[in-house]
């Protein structure tokens, strides 16, 4: 199961985890010898800046660029996908765009009913899949200190149920691209409000 850590202090608690940081932390973490993934939140105001932000992160030492869209329309998602393809080619860097195609959702829906990766937030809270799903948290590394202990006492079925609901809603969407993590967090917020 993949694990991403959003603060250096948790790397020792989760050997082999992916270190994911913001643009302002790339240089310091890369200088410390860590393989760094930069996380860029793509919002309507910075779509046109995506290429330069990614290039800056690579210049600072990022080995992977990950882009997470929030509130970006379908046209801008397509634009961002094209720009990220250029980033991957021009900068020879791994790119992850937290978007999927509606066709892939239809072709392999079971691939989206999952509970990973696990995300260790800066405060040590471990949540499934992405930030925004705190109501499904496994607990905190700070309180128990062991990811294995958190996993042993956690019931993943509510997360799978969330994924099933989100998937059925996403399949009803006719757009070519789906911001899957954003869709999951919106669905979770709606389910919480519904209860």
């Amino acid at each position: 199961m993949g694990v991403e850590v959003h603060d250096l202090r948790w790397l020792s608690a989760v050997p082999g985890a992916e270190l994911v940081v913001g643009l302002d932390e790339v240089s310091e973490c890369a200088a410390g010898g860590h393989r760094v993934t930069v996380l860029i939140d793509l919002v309507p105001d910075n779509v046109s800046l995506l290429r330069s932000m990614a290039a800056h992160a690579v210049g600072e030492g990022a080995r992977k660029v990950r882009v997470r869209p929030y509130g970006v329309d379908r046209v801008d998602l397509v634009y961002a996908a094209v720009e990220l393809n250029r980033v991957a080619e021009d900068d020879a860097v791994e790119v992850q765009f937290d978007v999927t195609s509606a066709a892939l959702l239809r072709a392999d829906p079971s691939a989206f009913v999952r509970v990973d990766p696990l995300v260790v937030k800066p405060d040590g809270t471990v949540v499934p899949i992405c930030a925004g799903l705190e109501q499904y948290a496994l607990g905190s590394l700070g309180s128990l200190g062991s990811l294995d202990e958190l996993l042993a006492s956690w019931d993943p079925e509510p997360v799978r149920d969330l994924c099933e609901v989100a998937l059925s809603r996403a399949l009803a969407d006719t757009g070519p691209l789906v911001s899957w993590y954003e869709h999951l967090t919106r669905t979770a917020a709606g389910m919480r409000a519904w209860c």
Side-chain angles (χ1 to χ4, degrees):
M1 179 175 296
V3 180
E4 61 184 56
V5 172
H6 289 253
D7 190 296
L8 272 172
R9 66 186 162 161
W10 302 114
L11 271 179
S12 61
V14 190
E18 177 181 14
L19 177 61
V20 180
V21 300
L23 278 170
D24 57 335
E25 300 169 279
V26 172
S27 180
E28 178 184 339
C29 293
H34 301 286
R35 184 185 189 285
V36 178
T37 296
V38 64
L39 178 60
I40 299 172
D41 286 330
L42 184 68
V43 296
D45 292 344
N46 70 4
V47 170
S48 64
L49 304 173
L50 178 59
R51 177 74 176 98
S52 62
M53 289 188 302
H56 174 73
V58 171
E60 293 290 312
R63 306 261 314 267
K64 179 177 175 183
V65 175
R66 178 175 170 199
V67 176
R68 178 175 61 185
Y70 285 107
V72 178
D73 67 26
R74 292 175 179 159
V75 172
D76 283 340
L77 286 178
V78 172
Y79 171 81
V82 170
E83 285 298 292
L84 289 173
N85 188 52
R86 288 184 180 139
V87 168
E89 289 177 359
D90 295 348
D91 298 328
V93 67
E94 183 181 350
V95 172
Q96 176 182 331
F97 191 26
D98 289 348
V99 171
T100 190
S101 71
L104 187 56
L105 287 173
R106 286 181 192 78
D108 191 10
S110 63
F112 297 89
V113 180
R114 52 191 301 165
V115 298
D116 65 320
L118 296 178
V119 178
V120 181
K121 296 178 60 178
D123 68 357
T125 302
V126 180
V127 298
I129 306 172
C130 63
L133 298 180
E134 285 73 16
Q135 70 265 35
Y136 300 96
L138 284 73
S140 174
L141 287 177
S143 63
L144 286 181
S146 165
L147 184 59
D148 290 336
E149 288 177 82
L150 292 176
L151 279 167
S153 63
W154 179 62
D155 178 11
E157 284 310 308
V159 178
R160 288 189 182 99
D161 293 344
L162 165 67
C163 291
E164 290 278 358
V165 171
L167 181 62
S168 67
R169 291 179 182 176
L171 289 172
D173 188 353
T174 57
L177 296 176
V178 176
S179 177
W180 180 243
Y181 292 163
E182 181 182 20
H183 186 72
L184 272 175
T185 58
R186 273 197 326 261
T187 301
M191 290 173 67
R192 184 175 48 228
W194 199 40
C195 294

